[in-house]
Amino acid sequence: MSRRHQDFHGNLITLLISTELNCFLIFKLIVLAILLNVSVCCPFECYCSVPSGLVQCQFLPLQEIPGEIPHWVQNLSVIGSNITKLRSEAFRSNGTNLTNLTTLFLTNDNIQTIEAFAFSGLTNLSILDLSYNFLNSIAEDAFVGQNQLSILKMNQALCGTAGTQLMDFQWISNLRNLKLLELTGNMLNTFPSIVVSLHNLRELKLGNNSIPNINAKTVSDLFTHRTLQVYLNPNPLVCDCKIKEFLFWVGNRSQVPDKKNLKCHSPSNLNGTFVTLLISKNLKCNNENLETASYVFFGIVLALIGVIFLMVLYLNRKGIKRWLNNFREACRDQMEGYHYRYEQDSDPRRCNVSTGI
């Protein structure tokens, strides 16, 4: 090989090595820039991880959703803060849409109010956990735009009696693609029948509430919602005649996975009895219905007798009046006779004559 060819190959190798080194330096600069950008975007005192797309802000004295949340976040946790009000567009404080966010934990944050469009911009949110809050107000438009939300957890999140009222509001009707809804430990005293309108719902968890029964209409709706699994244990079920439709549904559908653990809470003679072991005679429905029918029949008979008596009095009012007059005259004549005899017996002279003195 000529010297010229050797020089050419040497220069080419040197050029390739130099190019490779430059590319490596550029790559390092890009990675460094990304890391610097991440460190700037991560909220103060929060933990951020780019590879996992995780941002965690736990037990910080926050009163609102922290700003400067990085756009790459996929899993955001804000736990143990004091965010009493989740304001409208709370996740757009830095002007960016968190379109990569799929999982959001807002647990134990003392949230009491959720305003309209509070989750605006979270177009790909699929899992939302609001457990362990004190919700007493949820705007009707709070979940507008959450078409991808499939899991909503609100365990011990509803505030007392307001919880039952919240479940009657229309905010839940916006969650058309919801598949799992958890509402355990909320002291609900009625079954949230509005959830039956969510045709894509597959699991509903209602354990540790205060639900005594499910009315006949809701049971009928649950019959048609064949794919819905309802977890009800434990609840203080009242095993009276009103539970017949519920028993039929539980016994003829596989929609209550924990039905074998359901127990009666009242009446006292059935307290602790497993619902699946109940039979109709335990409920004493026939006797109760017969007793009720007897009272009704007795009342109707008494009412008819009263009406007939009044009609007889009315139709014979003239004869009754004449009879009363005759009775009064007879009484008066009798009284006058007694008065005359009394006067005769009280005269001494009459007495002497009568005795022969």
Side-chain angles (χ1 to χ4, degrees):
M1 182 181 293
S2 65
R3 183 176 183 81
R4 175 183 246 172
H5 284 89
Q6 290 179 352
D7 293 340
F8 174 76
H9 285 292
N11 293 333
L12 181 60
I13 292 172
T14 304
L15 180 62
L16 289 174
I17 294 174
S18 176
T19 304
E20 184 178 353
L21 290 173
N22 290 334
C23 291
F24 180 73
L25 290 174
I26 293 173
F27 177 76
K28 289 181 65 176
L29 289 174
I30 292 174
V31 171
L32 182 61
I34 291 175
L35 293 176
L36 289 173
N37 184 53
V38 167
S39 64
V40 170
C41 292
C42 190
F44 181 67
E45 292 187 345
C46 295
Y47 169 78
C48 297
S49 173
V50 178
S52 59
L54 176 65
V55 175
Q56 291 181 334
C57 303
Q58 298 184 0
F59 302 101
L60 299 176
L62 301 173
Q63 295 184 350
E64 59 184 11
I65 300 299
E68 298 183 353
I69 297 177
H71 68 277
W72 46 260
V73 62
Q74 298 177 17
N75 188 326
L76 174 62
S77 299
V78 181
I79 300 173
S81 298
N82 189 32
I83 308 173
T84 57
K85 181 180 292 187
L86 199 60
R87 303 184 183 277
S88 179
E89 299 188 349
F91 297 89
R92 304 179 72 173
S93 58
N94 59 352
T96 59
N97 290 327
L98 303 180
T99 55
N100 294 311
L101 184 63
T102 59
T103 304
L104 176 60
F105 290 88
L106 298 174
T107 60
N108 198 23
D109 283 325
N110 194 31
I111 300 175
Q112 302 171 24
T113 302
I114 301 179
E115 294 185 348
F117 307 104
F119 302 96
S120 177
L122 309 182
T123 54
N124 289 307
L125 184 65
S126 61
I127 301 173
L128 175 60
D129 194 342
L130 292 167
S131 300
Y132 307 104
N133 285 293
F134 299 92
L135 293 172
N136 55 44
S137 176
I138 301 177
E140 183 175 342
D141 298 327
F143 293 95
V144 168
Q146 300 309 306
N147 300 323
Q148 302 300 319
L149 191 63
S150 60
I151 298 175
L152 176 58
K153 298 182 180 181
M154 303 178 75
N155 302 313
Q156 297 186 39
L158 305 180
C159 187
T161 57
T164 298
Q165 298 175 354
L166 283 177
M167 293 312 301
D168 292 332
F169 290 169
Q170 295 300 315
W171 60 267
I172 200 169
S173 62
N174 293 315
L175 303 175
R176 293 297 178 183
N177 292 314
L178 199 65
K179 292 180 174 59
L180 169 62
L181 177 59
E182 294 186 6
L183 296 169
T184 62
N186 284 308
M187 294 187 293
L188 298 176
N189 52 35
T190 58
F191 186 91
S193 56
I194 193 172
V195 302
V196 184
S197 63
L198 302 177
H199 300 296
N200 290 315
L201 192 64
R202 296 294 177 265
E203 290 186 56
L204 175 62
K205 297 188 177 181
L206 292 170
N208 285 308
N209 281 290
S210 302
I211 301 173
N213 196 2
I214 303 178
N215 62 55
K217 183 183 182 305
T218 303
V219 169
S220 177
D221 294 336
L222 288 170
F223 255 105
T224 60
H225 203 324
R226 296 172 179 267
T227 57
L228 177 59
Q229 301 285 304
V230 183
Y231 293 82
L232 289 169
N233 188 60
N235 271 286
L237 297 177
V238 178
C239 297
D240 56 9
C241 285
K242 296 179 181 179
I243 205 174
K244 287 191 298 182
E245 291 81 5
F246 173 78
L247 290 179
F248 184 79
W249 170 60
V250 170
N252 292 274
R253 285 281 191 272
S254 58
Q255 294 179 251
V256 185
D258 56 356
K259 62 183 179 182
K260 292 184 178 180
N261 297 322
L262 295 178
K263 293 181 180 181
C264 298
H265 181 265
S266 62
S268 57
N269 63 310
L270 293 177
N271 185 18
T273 303
F274 287 100
V275 169
T276 53
L277 299 180
L278 284 176
I279 54 179
S280 58
K281 69 178 183 179
N282 296 136
L283 304 178
K284 299 180 180 180
C285 294
N286 294 331
N287 294 336
E288 291 179 4
N289 293 336
L290 181 61
E291 184 178 356
T292 302
S294 299
Y295 281 120
V296 172
F297 179 75
F298 184 67
I300 292 174
V301 170
L302 287 179
L304 287 174
I305 292 174
V307 170
I308 292 172
F309 180 73
L310 292 175
M311 288 181 64
V312 170
L313 291 178
Y314 178 77
L315 294 174
N316 295 277
R317 62 187 183 280
K318 293 182 179 180
I320 293 172
K321 184 177 181 181
R322 186 166 53 252
W323 180 81
L324 288 174
N325 289 332
N326 293 337
F327 181 76
R328 185 174 58 186
E329 292 294 334
C331 289
R332 185 169 58 186
D333 292 341
Q334 187 72 18
M335 291 301 295
E336 288 178 353
Y338 281 121
H339 183 67
Y340 176 75
R341 288 173 59 186
Y342 177 76
E343 288 180 350
Q344 292 293 326
D345 293 339
S346 63
D347 191 347
R349 293 173 297 175
R350 299 284 186 186
C351 290
N352 293 333
V353 172
S354 63
T355 55
I357 300 177

